[in-house]
Amino acid sequence: MAISRGPQAFPRNEYLRRLSLVKSEMADRDISVLVVSDQHNITYLTGYTARSAYVPQALVVAADEEEPVFILRRMDAPAALHQCFMSRDKIIGYPEELIAHPSKDGYDAVVDYLQAAGLEKHGIGIEQYNLSTLTVDKLKRRLASTRFVDCTKMVTWVRLVKSDFEIEVMREAAAISDAAIARAAEVLRPGVREADACAEIASTLIRGVNGKPGTRLEEIVMCTSPRTGTCHIPWSEDILREGSQVNIEVAGSRHGYCAALMRTYSIGTPSDRLRRVHDIQLEGLEAALQAVQPGATCSDVANAFYRTIEGKGLKKESRCGYAQGIGWTEPTASLRDGDLTALKPNMTFHLMLGNWIDEDFGYVISETFRVTPSGVEVLTRAPRQIYVIS
Amino acid sequence: MAISRGPQAFPRNEYLRRLSLVKSEMADRDISVLVVSDQHNITYLTGYTARSAYVPQALVVAADEEEPVFILRRMDAPAALHQCFMSRDKIIGYPEELIAHPSKDGYDAVVDYLQAAGLEKHGIGIEQYNLSTLTVDKLKRRLASTRFVDCTKMVTWVRLVKSDFEIEVMREAAAISDAAIARAAEVLRPGVREADACAEIASTLIRGVNGKPGTRLEEIVMCTSPRTGTCHIPWSEDILREGSQVNIEVAGSRHGYCAALMRTYSIGTPSDRLRRVHDIQLEGLEAALQAVQPGATCSDVANAFYRTIEGKGLKKESRCGYAQGIGWTEPTASLRDGDLTALKPNMTFHLMLGNWIDEDFGYVISETFRVTPSGVEVLTRAPRQIYVIS
């Protein structure tokens, strides 16, 4: 029997709006076909969130077709039928024999489709950033007369400004992040194994809040003394102790959209150094948020932070954050010195102020925010404090 | 202060053994330098498991140096110092300004290192499968006189045969998978939201068993009626009901090593169809395991399964599994018709017998096994049953 279409996170018109923005970019680049390989861009344009990107799959957007065509492994076609907004005939499953085949793969099916649909005569955009050189070689060999245009990050840049629908989903994700940070404050205790505390945080990220569960579990970062100078390590097998500091980064997830959040915990009284760093960083955080308004640049926001903390004798070597949405980090606009991307309403960022000061000492705080017509809305709402466990 | 070296999952000699196998492959290919980009290959050769592969990083293995050099984002260098077996001077952090830079990235730091170390005069192996065409273009442009050799999956193939140390870690991972499957049988109940059941499964995967927690949470697949015909969807927001079927795939993880496991649950009495499919698949599973012995091929194992179920009127379109270890699927040997890879002791596979028969009906069962000198050891031990929730 045919699989039913599942509940849709967004109305059809929302996907058509996104596609029309992409088609406009395609026209600017004089291409009438776009092959989208980036899994997050595919989610954006279709609603597909199943985890099948470890094998080749591609979405073909044709300028003169309303709906795109999704070519993926046959095994995963039912998931696409269930999740995507398109009609059934726009989902094409390629044969299982292409999996782990010695010389062919799913991109051979993509080429077959482009040829059968007569699309290979047009200029075709591809996302070279997401394609291995072996795949690009295959495309150029099998479609020798096609004019290929590199459209790396073209769709990703379209994703930068969210719709109100997307903002609402990110608010839901942010509420889940808040709940996970609050749960951490309940379970981080001396004598508790890091893994056991993390199990509770993970559980909260999945259960969600307000009747809205997390729809995926993103990486949980938990860097505990003596590892607070690291930033991307998960929990360890250690037992938490009086005097331990714990840096946590989580991201609630709804329909692929993330809203990340970092907070620092101290089991027992924080050291003077930690207190001082927190006070300075908090001032920097507030200065950065005050700098957010349409027309200001990413660089302005970052420099408001840098200027504030440097005035107090603290430095942060890394950037202050990045555009955020589907799949956590969007690799486009960056809250860094020199990024002159102008802020627009409904852009969303993770203002990521983790500061790894020494090899063995770091401090984290962050917020997820959106740009509003007049300033900023901070989507995450956890108290901006060192969480002291006493 | 300097960060301390953390507890090591494997002794130094184990890493040197792995490196000597890789260096032998390098000699066969007439290269004296290898640039490893695949994050799982980096884990294999160093012990590094932090989640920083979303920005460029590379391990440089030189034939005449005992220890490799790891070049990664400065922010992540402390994690490498903490986790890797190498001495401090083998960890090189590249400047934060290369992150989200408009024209440069971490591979510029890799090129700088190769030049400074005088290694660009040698033949250099690269993993083209893992590199975007933009990166390969950069390497060839900046190192115009270097002879590059594609070593796609060369290290991955070395990973295929595990050491006894690795097998022990996979046994620990398998025990965690067993515990998660057992926990699912306790929490899948009519009236329970899928997400809430999944939160408990996730929690078990992190808490682990026998004092050994999971060290990372891998994707959890939970495909419930009417989605049992899909294979890579996570939990939904639905409430479980009498008559629901639930297909679960989990993988306990220890130090990066996974041991995957699938089981099917029925809330209430299973349908006759489900019972019949289970009985046939179980017979096929046993036939496949009986075919496992050194010298048999991957194809032999797959065909033992196919032959058995086809004799009973059932078909399975997809392959019967894949090599397994660091990062779940190892993209090398595949339990498929025509894969003539000969089994050797201490190869490990996920015998993945998920069978998605119709768009709206599938059944799953699997085991993680290792090849022994005389046959097979099944590492996962959950009962081979439909878990009936009554």
Side-chain angles (χ1 to χ4, degrees), chain A residues 264-294:
Chain A
T264 298
Y265 301 74
S266 174
I267 300 185
T269 310
S271 67
D272 288 347
R273 183 187 192 190
L274 181 57
R275 278 261 176 241
R276 184 169 163 277
V277 168
H278 170 75
D279 291 344
I280 296 171
Q281 290 257 149
L282 188 57
E283 223 175 293
L285 171 68
E286 287 162 359
L289 289 173
Q290 273 171 23
V292 175
Q293 58 176 317

Side-chain angles (χ1 to χ4, degrees), chain B residues 237-253:
Chain B
E237 308 192 8
D238 289 355
I239 308 287
L240 296 167
R241 291 187 297 199
E242 191 69 27
S244 290
Q245 180 189 327
V246 187
N247 296 350
I248 292 185
E249 181 172 18
V250 294
S253 174

Side-chain angles (χ1 to χ4, degrees), chain A residues 186-197:
Chain A
E186 294 171 350
V187 297
L188 293 170
R189 289 288 178 275
V192 170
R193 203 173 53 157
E194 283 183 39
D196 294 327

Side-chain angles (χ1 to χ4, degrees), chain A residues 39 43 47-53 57 76 79-80 83, chain B residues 230-234:
Chain A
Q39 63 171 319
T43 297
Y48 184 77
T49 60
R51 312 311 293 181
S52 54
Q57 54 189 22
D76 292 304
Q83 295 190 317
Chain B
T230 72
C231 33
H232 294 115
I233 282 185

Side-chain angles (χ1 to χ4, degrees), chain A residues 2-59:
Chain A
I3 190 169
S4 56
R5 176 167 296 162
Q8 299 282 297
F10 301 104
R12 174 183 178 84
N13 273 346
E14 168 72 3
Y15 291 110
L16 296 181
R17 184 191 65 77
R18 298 175 188 180
L19 283 160
S20 83
L21 293 172
V22 168
K23 287 172 184 173
S24 166
E25 295 288 329
M26 289 164 61
D28 288 351
R29 286 166 175 77
D30 193 25
I31 54 172
S32 47
V33 178
L34 177 69
V35 177
V36 181
S37 313
D38 179 293
Q39 63 171 319
H40 303 309
N41 289 342
I42 291 174
T43 297
Y44 180 69
L45 295 174
T46 68
Y48 184 77
T49 60
R51 312 311 293 181
S52 54
Y54 67 98
V55 294
Q57 54 189 22
L59 187 75

